Amino acid sequence: DILLDARGHAGLKARLLEQAHQLQRVQAQGAHPQALAGRREKLLHVLHRTLASHQFDACLAIFLAGMIVIAGIAMFETLRHWKVYDAVTELFRERSFRYENRGGFSRASVSFGTPIALGFAMTLGIGVLLYLRGRLPSRAANSAMLVLCGGLFASVSRGPWVGAVLVVAGFMFLA
């Protein structure tokens, strides 16, 4: 079942099994080694492409889940004016997280160290969500977008805001 494609279709699995059986029949008949190599390459190419696509989507989904958690922490930091990871840096006797304000808002940085880095991470999360949007239930995708936008605005960083607008415009243009 690991050979199913990203949408769970069994058609690709059937083609792979058919190629494998064909390769075994050709080997049993004593075919020329070059003919075997071509069939083996084709089988490995299809197998690699399928697994790589599925694994790539899984990695993006894991990244997206992490960005959603970080976005929630960022909103908490901005609303409560409390740097959550400040206590962790005090354990190592370093104060790398500063309290930054802009326009009366505390700028969240979570574990990224600076609000700009957090904002760009949220922009990447928005791009990943737009890529995976068709594979997620619409309510979950909309909720995730809301949380990621909240994390983006919690950074109070204009550069990542512009980047997010460009990412969304790019997806709209290419769709």
Side-chain angles (χ1 to χ4, degrees), residues 68-130:
I68 291 170
V69 170
I70 288 172
I73 296 170
M75 290 186 291
F76 176 81
E77 279 189 5
T78 296
L79 294 174
R80 301 291 292 174
H81 303 286
W82 176 46
K83 298 277 188 186
V84 175
Y85 286 92
D86 197 31
V88 174
T89 59
E90 286 179 9
L91 290 174
F92 299 105
R93 306 283 187 241
E94 296 179 20
R95 297 274 304 174
S96 62
F97 297 108
R98 301 179 323 208
Y99 283 86
E100 297 181 35
N101 293 305
R102 177 178 283 163
F105 292 100
S106 175
R107 298 178 70 191
S109 60
V110 190
S111 60
F112 286 91
T114 65
I116 293 174
L118 170 68
F120 279 115
M122 292 296 107
T123 300
L124 284 173
I126 289 170
V128 168
L129 177 62
L130 290 173

Side-chain angles (χ1 to χ4, degrees), residues 20-32 36 39-40:
H21 291 304
Q22 221 174 19
L23 184 62
Q24 287 173 348
R25 282 193 302 266
V26 171
Q27 283 177 333
Q29 293 172 356
H32 194 269
L36 288 176
R39 290 181 185 268
R40 193 174 296 131

Side-chain angles (χ1 to χ4, degrees), residues 131-145:
Y131 173 77
L132 294 175
R133 190 176 190 103
R135 297 166 188 84
L136 300 172
S138 63
R139 183 171 280 177
N142 292 338
S143 298
M145 183 62 81

Side-chain angles (χ1 to χ4, degrees), residues 22-53:
Q22 221 174 19
L23 184 62
Q24 287 173 348
R25 282 193 302 266
V26 171
Q27 283 177 333
Q29 293 172 356
H32 194 269
Q34 288 180 344
L36 288 176
R39 290 181 185 268
R40 193 174 296 131
E41 281 183 56
K42 184 177 178 183
L43 176 65
L44 291 175
H45 173 72
V46 172
L47 181 63
H48 172 71
R49 218 175 102 199
T50 304
L51 293 178
S53 171

